[in-house]
Amino acid sequence: MDACRRVAKRICVTYFLSFVLLSAFFYYLMAHNSRNDRGISRLREDVDDIAQMESKEAQISGKFNCFGGEPKGCGSGKWENRDVSAYVDTLFKRKIGHLMDDVYNLKKQMMNNDCSARSAQSIPIPPKETSSLAKTRINYASEELGARILSVKAQPIEGTNILKSLLGLDFSANPPVNMLRSSLSAGSCFGFKGSNATVVLHLAKPIVIEAFSLTHVAREMTPSLCVKSAPKDFDVYGLPKGNAKRELLGQWTFDNAANKRTQSYTVHSKSLFRRLAFVINSNHGANSTCIYRIEVYGRLK
């Protein structure tokens, strides 16, 4: 009985697959036939257009006598070459005219780009602009280049609990990674309670630190028109590999001047560092501190 059932199942499956394949084959034939019908219909329309033009031309030419040569429509009833050319041009424009337009536009765009490049090459660059381009520096504390935050010691503005600490959500509202991003919109900063914090930063590459800059948002961009949350006194340390002693790179003050929202600080060190520790010691009088952007510049050794 089991063998009979298996044979019956195989027969049913074979019939079903055969039906599916035949259905797909007939569907393909019908679709291909439909495309052929559309092509034949277009060809018939073109032939009808030619026949109508020929009949009209014959009617017009029959009204005149044939004097001094063989005007169009006399004798053989053939068209002049210009009529044939005009009709061919009409068909050409109707069928592939839009493709020629695209080709023309593409060619024109390429010619304009070539002209722009040549004109740019022909314009001499002033020496001052050349020197400024040569002095372009790379920010190795940019998140886009691979920099990241290794650790943070600070008090969250909204408080903390065991669950937030385990999930790493203590600073979810104003995360420390905001310091590594280019946005300067109000609130897009690393915010913490009080005025003391330590942030360990991992740079994109090991470099010899030459300078870094600290940026705070302008007071006009804040809802309260107050920038007392800007950091004030801070220290920067270079952290070597292993358990070696950290090196103090400098102690500075962000003066919070209205016309100096970005302030740069020069570092005199010959050591190679990839990790830096920023220690914030005070702010300008607010209950919390916001650090908007830190940029680190240097050279590869």
Side-chain angles (χ1 to χ4, degrees):
M1 292 297 294
D2 293 337
C4 293
R5 289 180 180 177
R6 285 197 293 270
V7 171
K9 288 182 180 180
R10 290 177 182 176
I11 294 174
C12 293
V13 171
T14 303
Y15 282 151
F16 178 74
L17 293 176
S18 300
F19 174 76
V20 171
L21 293 175
L22 287 174
S23 300
F25 178 70
F26 283 119
Y27 176 77
Y28 171 77
L29 289 179
M30 293 175 64
H32 186 69
N33 188 32
S34 177
R35 288 195 296 269
N36 291 336
D37 290 340
R38 289 195 294 269
I40 293 173
S41 299
R42 296 193 188 97
L43 182 60
R44 286 176 179 174
E45 291 177 0
D46 295 339
V47 172
D48 291 339
D49 293 340
I50 295 174
Q52 291 178 4
M53 183 175 289
E54 184 177 2
S55 61
K56 291 180 180 179
E57 196 66 31
Q59 292 175 3
I60 295 174
S61 61
K63 296 180 181 180
F64 300 95
N65 294 324
C66 298
F67 296 105
E70 188 179 357
K72 60 181 180 179
C74 285
S76 62
K78 296 181 180 179
W79 299 351
E80 286 187 352
N81 290 334
R82 60 183 182 182
D83 298 321
V84 177
S85 299
Y87 185 71
V88 171
D89 290 340
T90 302
L91 290 178
F92 181 80
K93 291 178 180 178
R94 187 173 65 182
K95 299 296 182 183
I96 60 173
H98 63 284
L99 296 178
M100 297 303 297
D101 292 338
D102 294 339
V103 173
Y104 174 77
N105 292 331
L106 180 60
K107 182 178 179 181
K108 186 176 180 181
Q109 184 178 1
M110 293 176 64
M111 292 177 65
N112 292 335
N113 292 337
D114 186 34
C115 293
S116 300
R118 290 182 180 178
S119 61
Q121 292 177 358
S122 62
I123 298 175
I125 300 177
K128 292 183 179 180
E129 294 185 7
T130 305
S131 60
S132 64
L133 291 176
K135 293 180 180 178
T136 300
R137 299 183 298 179
I138 298 176
N139 174 24
Y140 290 94
S142 172
E143 183 189 25
E144 297 177 354
L145 297 181
R148 64 182 187 272
I149 302 296
L150 293 180
S151 63
V152 176
K153 293 182 180 179
Q155 294 183 6
I157 295 178
E158 298 179 353
T160 185
N161 52 47
I162 298 177
L163 182 60
K164 283 186 176 182
S165 299
L166 291 177
L167 297 178
L169 300 176
D170 289 335
F171 301 96
S172 58
N174 301 97
V177 72
N178 283 342
M179 298 186 299
L180 311 183
R181 296 171 178 170
S182 58
S183 175
L184 284 179
S185 58
S188 298
C189 65
F190 166 45
F192 56 90
K193 189 176 180 180
S195 59
N196 298 100
T198 300
V199 179
V200 178
L201 172 64
H202 185 272
L203 300 178
K205 295 283 185 180
I207 60 172
V208 176
I209 311 297
E210 294 180 338
F212 67 92
S213 63
L214 190 63
T215 302
H216 197 271
V217 71
R219 64 185 300 271
E220 292 80 9
M221 297 176 61
T222 61
S224 60
L225 298 178
C226 179
V227 289
K228 292 183 179 181
S229 61
K232 186 177 180 181
D233 299 318
F234 62 95
D235 309 332
V236 181
Y237 294 88
L239 305 179
K241 293 182 179 179
N243 297 323
K245 186 178 179 181
R246 65 182 185 177
E247 179 181 336
L248 178 63
L249 300 180
Q251 297 175 321
W252 295 278
T253 298
F254 186 82
D255 59 18
N256 208 21
N259 58 346
K260 293 167 55 179
R261 303 319 306 163
T262 298
Q263 299 178 25
S264 298
Y265 309 92
T266 303
V267 177
H268 301 284
S269 175
K270 297 181 180 180
S271 302
L272 196 69
F273 295 108
R274 192 167 190 178
R275 296 183 302 153
L276 298 178
F278 287 84
V279 181
I280 311 299
N281 299 316
S282 62
N283 62 17
H284 288 269
N287 295 326
S288 59
T289 305
C290 289
I291 305 175
Y292 277 84
R293 187 195 298 170
I294 291 177
E295 297 170 285
V296 180
Y297 305 101
R299 67 180 187 275
L300 300 173
K301 198 167 184 179

